[in-house]
Amino acid sequence: MQYNPGWNNSSVNLLHVRAVGPSDTLHYVWSSIGAPAVLLVASASRSSTLRVNWTQLLSPAPAGAIWIDPPGSVVYSTAVVFTKVFEYSEAKTLEELFYPTYDLSDFSWDSINRTLNHTALTAEFTGIPATGPSGSFSNGSLAFRVTAYEANGRDGPLPSLLHTADSSKVEFVLAGVAPRGNSSRFALEVATVEETGVVQKLRSARSIDDEYTPTIFETLSLVAQSQNGSSTLSFLQWKATAYGSQTPRREDSIQCRSHGLQAANWTLPMSSIVHAYFGEGVGSTYTISAINISFGGEDGKVYQEKRYLSWSVLLGFGQPPEDTFSPLVISIMAVALGTPMVMLLVGSCVVLFVQRKRYSEYEPIN
């Protein structure tokens, strides 16, 4: 993990996570310069490195300020941008009342240098609105907590996401932010940038096994596929839940919904690293898709009471990890289904034996 490589000023945040494999390198470039975003770049070289022209990156025209060296080693690249947070509530007429939007490109972000943990491979981007009505943030903040992984495994805290060494996690957190309505709910807008020939698809998978995330039976994945559908290139994956506590338990669950994946015809808010890497072709040469993730129950009371909201999403390269039935669940199912079958089989044998013994005393009637 490198913080602001080649730059000694901590007034801006750029975090480079580099994972080296046997014959390739995966690059994650997180930044809060402009709207919070992450670049995902896969290189076919073990020695590929990130290059940053800081003077150009911090200028009004950042195109070309970020690249991977050697450029010919890049086999795939994409970006995820966290653009806006919406706050809304339902009026008595069942119409949704929206409050002024929080544009994340207008936030002021703390230096992540104090939260950077090279052992745990974690960092935290924390921000508040730089301008405009920020009374709601007088005692609160918005944060993106980043975690990288060195091996396959599963997170301990809920929602206990299964991860691979090719993936990272980001946790979206609202803490102490005062709601502007009596039943406010929040939604996060997430945009993706893909190369030509790559399409985004939203998948939903349901399972009766909720051992690791109690009461949650749905996992959603936003996958990037080549247009012929032959391979999955990258993914975002999350459970259909958020939580209202720093130490989440089952009862702290907050309903999480995904609202339609759409092609984004609007211009992305200023995200310097996206424009710095992809250039001015963002929105024309490259495809932008967006999805809204909303949080809150029918009455929005959970956040009102605890003033805390966290939602975790896994992102990475290749296929998203798939949960399989654990040995515990398989054992329970075997007992639950096997016991009646054994009883039925034993009962049938007893009935046949009794019947045969009963009628064996009589001679056949001619």
Side-chain angles (χ1 to χ4, degrees):
M1 300 178 76
Q2 297 174 295
Y3 174 63
N4 288 352
W7 185 256
N8 293 323
N9 194 325
S10 60
S11 61
V12 294
N13 291 317
L14 188 146
L15 176 66
H16 177 216
V17 181
R18 182 170 176 263
V20 181
S23 60
D24 57 1
T25 306
L26 304 179
H27 299 270
Y28 292 87
V29 185
W30 301 86
S31 177
S32 59
I33 304 174
V38 56
L39 295 173
L40 288 79
V41 184
S43 166
S45 169
R46 294 189 76 250
S47 58
S48 63
T49 55
L50 175 73
R51 303 295 185 189
V52 182
N53 182 330
W54 282 97
T55 304
Q56 188 176 352
L57 177 63
L58 301 177
S59 72
I66 293 178
W67 70 98
I68 298 296
D69 193 21
S73 67
V74 175
V75 293
Y76 173 69
S77 56
T78 184
V80 179
V81 188
F82 303 98
T83 53
K84 299 174 183 177
V85 172
F86 302 100
E87 183 181 351
Y88 63 98
S89 60
E90 283 189 357
K92 292 183 180 180
T93 58
L94 297 181
E95 294 181 356
E96 291 177 340
L97 170 65
F98 280 83
Y99 300 96
T101 303
Y102 294 119
D103 190 332
L104 299 185
S105 63
D106 294 331
F107 271 47
S108 173
W109 301 91
D110 294 342
S111 171
I112 67 168
N113 200 25
R114 62 182 180 82
T115 65
L116 189 59
N117 188 323
H118 289 272
T119 303
L121 301 179
T122 58
E124 182 173 329
F125 297 81
T126 304
I128 60 173
T131 57
S134 57
S136 297
F137 281 80
S138 57
N139 295 311
S141 63
L142 180 151
F144 292 94
R145 296 173 181 167
V146 176
T147 303
Y149 299 109
E150 291 182 310
N152 298 353
R154 185 184 296 277
D155 275 354
L158 294 175
S160 304
L161 294 174
L162 182 68
H163 61 78
T164 67
D166 295 342
S167 61
S168 294
K169 183 186 77 171
V170 59
E171 183 182 1
F172 166 67
V173 178
L174 277 178
V177 177
R180 290 173 284 183
N182 293 329
S183 58
S184 284
R185 284 175 277 181
F186 294 90
L188 174 66
E189 182 181 79
V190 183
T192 61
V193 180
E194 293 291 350
E195 301 170 337
T196 305
V198 178
V199 294
Q200 289 279 354
K201 293 185 178 180
L202 181 63
R203 298 174 179 172
S204 173
R206 294 181 178 273
S207 171
I208 63 171
D209 186 356
D210 68 337
E211 177 185 358
Y212 299 107
T213 313
T215 74
I216 306 302
F217 302 97
E218 183 180 18
T219 301
L220 295 111
S221 301
L222 183 61
V223 297
Q225 292 183 322
S226 53
Q227 215 151 28
N228 58 15
S230 61
S231 61
T232 299
L233 304 172
S234 65
F235 66 88
L236 277 76
Q237 186 183 62
W238 64 95
K239 295 278 191 176
T241 185
Y243 291 95
S245 172
Q246 296 185 45
T247 54
R249 297 168 299 173
R250 180 179 61 83
E251 53 267 32
D252 299 318
S253 178
I254 297 176
Q255 191 175 45
C256 171
R257 292 178 177 174
S258 305
H259 299 269
L261 177 66
Q262 296 182 353
N265 297 322
W266 62 91
T267 304
L268 272 177
M270 176 57 69
S271 178
S272 291
I273 64 166
V274 173
H275 289 87
Y277 183 82
F278 290 102
E280 300 301 331
V282 176
S284 55
T285 307
Y286 299 94
T287 304
I288 303 174
S289 302
I291 187 171
N292 288 340
I293 312 296
S294 67
F295 315 100
E298 295 300 323
D299 55 5
K301 293 292 184 182
V302 176
Y303 184 80
Q304 285 284 127
E305 295 171 358
K306 301 191 177 181
R307 299 284 178 94
Y308 190 89
L309 166 69
S310 70
W311 173 69
S312 299
V313 58
L314 194 72
L315 50 88
F317 297 89
Q319 290 279 0
E322 293 184 9
D323 263 320
T324 56
F325 286 113
S326 67
L328 174 62
V329 172
I330 292 174
S331 301
I332 294 172
M333 291 175 64
V335 171
L337 297 177
T339 302
M341 291 298 296
V342 170
M343 292 177 66
L344 180 63
L345 183 60
V346 171
S348 300
C349 293
V350 170
V351 170
L352 289 174
F353 177 77
V354 170
Q355 285 184 339
R356 184 170 182 178
K357 184 177 180 181
R358 176 182 177 185
Y359 290 104
S360 63
E361 299 174 359
Y362 294 89
E363 292 294 332
I365 297 175
N366 188 345

